[in-house]
Amino acid sequence: MLSIYYSRRAFILYTIYHNFLLYTMASIHIDPARVIAPVDPRIYSGFTEHMGRCIYGGIYEPANPNGLSDPKTGWRLDVMNVLKELKVPIVRYPGGNFVSSYRWQDGIGPKELRPRRPELAWLSEESNQFGTDEFIAWCRAVGTEPYICLNMGTGTLEDALAWLEYCNSSANTYYANLRRKNGHEEPYKVKYWALGNEVWGPWQVGQMESQDYAKKAYQWAKALKLLDPTIELISCGETGFADWDRVTLRKLAPVVDYHSIHIYTVSEGKHAVNAMGPAAAEKALDITKSLIDLAKIEGGLEKDITVCFDEWNVWDPVRAPGEKGAEEHYDLSDAIAVASWLNVFVRKADIVKIACIAQSVNVISPIITSPQGLFKQPLHLFTNLMRGLSLNVHVNSPSYDGPTVPTWIKQLDKYEPESSKLTKFIDVSAVYVADAKEVRVAVVNRHDTEDFTVLFVFARNADVEGQVKVYEVWGEQLGFSNGFDGEQVKTVEKTINWEGKYLLKKHSFQVLVFKLKQELK
């Protein structure tokens, strides 16, 4: 009897200790059966705008003195190769703010006849040497889908219909024949079309009130779909948590397929502010999803409407002013913030179907060029690994309670239960890849000074093998960055023997790839 008593006592003490570890130390709980939704590869899309050196000197540099550009097309081949490696599914064009005073007809036909125009968004000049035909051809060469944003500033519905006809029509009509005359017999079949860019903003040429925009965009959408019913339309949203979003969704939900939102996060020189900024995007997506649901309920709609988050990134306009080209030299702190951004998109796979990092080359970009070459900033890793089924992961972690930008992140988090806080130092997303029998876990330690030993707890249906592959992004100092003189922030690949827990270095990002012993049933 005594031995049974001590055995029971030992079991109880073990259980108490085990539960203490689970709920007091940092832990990640993973059940591959708890699927949120498939991760849409289009969340890894890009954006090219006629701004700074994104187009000219970025993807297009016909006079490159070092042989880095294709002699026929002028495309930078090294840039194309990097974008191919990143498997960018969609690229948005030509803006951005630029589009609101852009006349697309100026960018087609013989280059020597194309007019040079004043450019109002970034106060520069536009040569129009790169236009619609060049963009479509470049997309085809990169292996990406074109996404065109329409000019709802100085542009007219007639201009928009003409652009759509030029790109997609196979009829014997004026703009379709003009495309053929310019050497492009077959229609381009551009699928994605946006109804303007940031029309709500005071910096925008042609700024409108929400009701005015909604009424105008509704009429545009009807006409565009009459010309080509196969296209998918994106409404111009704001941040997802603005009244503009409510008003425009209520009117446009019957005629659009996606609602766009834009958010940029800043650091203000503080790492924690930088790393916690993407929490604003997570809350924005929750609110946008509710606004979409409300519009569908009120309109009696039975259709899918999801979010196209077609401008996002870390961007400090003081550090990198837009009118001076917005060339951010990102560091490890920014990489931590971007990893947190991408974790948001994976976790919100049910509502985010397209996301375009702004931008693809040179302008607030992971790729920086010079006439001699390029370097990659430490902002990429997700695109090749974090695809599959997004999993609902439970994370126990200490949380940050300092200043945030915007300030409401801290205010709203204050009343959240610990398990639901958006400002946890350990930020996680996970996917299940059935074909590979793998669970891939993206983990960010956002703390600037503290390492964490994290316990990984898998459900009983997920028996993992004894070795785990790890891809780790880290540097000794948060200010470490990459440049033409070398890389201070690198991705290190390693294979470790798995013992149930992992040491997360301070300010680090890693993807852990777990192989399951057998396929889930």
Side-chain angles (χ1 to χ4, degrees):
M1 291 293 292
L2 195 61
S3 63
I4 294 174
Y5 167 78
Y6 280 117
S7 295
R8 286 178 176 172
R9 187 167 182 267
F11 176 76
I12 292 169
L13 289 172
Y14 169 78
T15 303
I16 293 171
Y17 175 69
H18 180 70
N19 289 339
F20 173 79
L21 286 179
L22 286 182
Y23 296 103
T24 59
M25 74 179 295
S27 58
I28 299 171
H29 302 248
I30 302 167
D31 182 350
R34 293 178 61 86
V35 174
I36 297 170
V39 175
D40 196 311
R42 295 176 299 174
I43 67 171
Y44 303 120
S45 295
F47 172 35
T48 55
E49 180 175 6
H50 288 252
M51 174 184 181
R53 294 194 308 123
C54 182
I55 302 292
Y56 304 110
I59 68 174
Y60 178 74
E61 193 180 23
N64 180 271
N66 297 295
L68 297 179
S69 297
D70 184 287
K72 292 183 178 179
T73 62
W75 302 331
R76 278 286 294 257
L77 299 176
D78 50 350
V79 172
M80 287 182 66
N81 289 335
V82 172
L83 292 172
K84 286 178 183 178
E85 289 172 11
L86 293 174
K87 301 176 184 176
V88 179
I90 295 172
V91 175
R92 180 174 177 245
Y93 174 86
N97 297 346
F98 169 83
V99 76
S100 292
S101 60
Y102 176 59
R103 190 172 182 274
W104 72 269
Q105 296 93 332
D106 291 342
I108 60 173
K111 290 188 177 183
E112 66 274 13
L113 299 180
R114 297 183 188 182
R116 192 174 183 91
R117 302 282 191 190
E119 194 282 300
L120 303 181
W122 307 111
L123 305 179
S124 61
E125 295 179 2
E126 173 54 48
S127 70
N128 285 304
Q129 293 303 289
F130 188 96
T132 301
D133 296 318
E134 288 80 17
F135 172 65
I136 301 291
W138 179 84
C139 285
R140 301 295 186 241
V142 171
T144 188
E145 282 293 313
Y147 163 18
I148 290 178
C149 183
L150 295 167
N151 175 2
M152 289 194 72
T154 62
T156 65
L157 175 55
E158 186 176 14
D159 290 329
L161 289 168
W163 203 354
L164 178 59
E165 180 192 336
Y166 185 88
C167 288
N168 287 11
S169 179
S170 58
N172 182 24
T173 53
Y174 179 79
Y175 281 104
N177 286 332
L178 183 58
R179 183 196 66 243
R180 295 184 182 101
K181 180 181 177 182
N182 289 334
H184 311 284
E185 180 65 29
E186 297 302 318
Y188 291 140
K189 299 181 181 179
V190 177
K191 182 177 182 180
Y192 305 104
W193 296 80
L195 297 166
N197 172 78
E198 294 182 4
V199 184
W200 46 270
W203 52 85
Q204 207 69 218
V205 174
Q207 179 192 10
M208 284 184 256
E209 297 292 328
S210 56
Q211 296 90 342
D212 297 330
Y213 166 77
K215 287 186 287 186
K216 183 176 180 179
Y218 187 87
Q219 298 304 325
W220 280 41
K222 284 197 306 181
L224 291 162
K225 290 254 186 176
L226 285 171
L227 183 60
D228 186 350
T230 69
I231 62 173
E232 296 186 1
L233 292 176
I234 298 97
S235 57
C236 172
E238 191 174 335
T239 56
F241 49 81
D243 194 55
W244 172 283
D245 297 286
R246 179 189 65 83
V247 172
T248 55
L249 271 167
R250 189 175 187 182
K251 178 70 174 178
L252 297 177
V255 293
V256 299
D257 304 281
Y258 307 89
H259 183 69
S260 83
I261 59 178
H262 294 177
I263 295 177
Y264 292 94
T265 54
V266 299
S267 69
E268 295 189 339
K270 304 178 186 72
H271 168 68
V273 170
N274 201 9
M276 299 301 166
E282 191 139 17
K283 180 57 71 172
L285 288 166
D286 289 339
I287 295 170
T288 306
K289 187 175 188 297
S290 295
L291 291 174
I292 290 171
D293 289 346
L294 180 62
K296 289 168 69 174
I297 291 167
E298 289 185 338
L301 302 175
E302 296 182 6
K303 60 179 292 190
D304 291 334
I305 303 174
T306 51
V307 170
C308 174
F309 213 129
D310 52 14
E311 284 191 37
W312 70 270
N313 205 344
V314 176
W315 181 19
D316 186 338
V318 175
R319 190 170 67 180
E323 63 275 12
K324 294 184 179 179
E327 294 200 20
E328 284 269 25
H329 197 161
Y330 290 115
D331 58 21
L332 179 56
S333 177
D334 299 315
I336 297 299
V338 167
S340 298
W341 263 106
L342 290 166
N343 271 344
V344 170
F345 295 148
V346 173
R347 286 195 295 265
K348 296 297 181 182
D350 58 327
I351 188 64
V352 183
K353 299 302 178 183
I354 302 174
C356 304
I357 189 170
Q359 294 184 18
S360 294
V361 188
N362 287 328
V363 177
I364 50 175
S365 169
I367 304 169
I368 299 292
T369 69
S370 78
Q372 291 76 36
L374 62 76
F375 70 86
K376 293 178 283 186
Q377 306 210 68
L379 305 184
H380 63 282
L381 186 57
F382 267 76
T383 182
N384 290 317
L385 291 174
M386 297 304 287
R387 299 174 184 239
L389 300 176
S390 175
L391 302 180
N392 187 351
V393 177
H394 180 78
V395 179
N396 288 318
S397 162
S399 296
Y400 170 75
D401 63 357
T404 60
V405 177
T407 55
W408 56 256
I409 295 174
K410 180 181 179 180
Q411 277 301 109
L412 295 183
D413 231 26
K414 182 179 179 181
Y415 302 103
E416 289 287 342
E418 203 63 39
S419 61
S420 302
K421 287 189 182 296
L422 299 176
T423 55
K424 294 175 183 176
F425 281 115
I426 297 172
D427 187 62
V428 182
S429 70
V431 296
Y432 172 57
V433 184
D435 292 345
K437 292 195 300 184
E438 289 178 350
V439 173
R440 301 171 184 172
V441 187
V443 189
V444 185
N445 179 1
R446 301 193 278 197
H447 205 292
D448 56 346
T449 59
E450 295 292 329
D451 299 343
F452 289 103
T453 297
V454 177
L455 189 66
F456 283 69
V457 183
F458 283 88
R460 292 180 181 178
N461 63 342
D463 191 10
V464 300
E465 293 185 355
Q467 290 195 319
V468 173
K469 194 160 190 177
V470 179
Y471 301 82
E472 181 186 72
V473 178
W474 184 72
E476 190 67 45
Q477 298 176 27
L478 279 165
F480 275 9
S481 62
N482 296 346
F484 290 109
D485 54 351
E487 293 185 351
Q488 292 179 307
V489 182
K490 297 181 180 180
T491 301
V492 176
E493 298 182 24
K494 57 187 176 182
T495 301
I496 61 172
N497 294 321
W498 187 242
E499 298 178 351
K501 55 189 177 182
Y502 185 77
L503 177 65
L504 300 178
K505 296 175 184 175
K506 61 184 179 182
H507 54 253
S508 66
F509 162 55
Q510 42 268 301
V511 176
L512 288 80
V513 179
F514 296 90
K515 196 85 172 176
L516 300 184
K517 290 181 179 178
Q518 57 187 19
E519 190 173 343
L520 291 179
K521 296 181 181 178

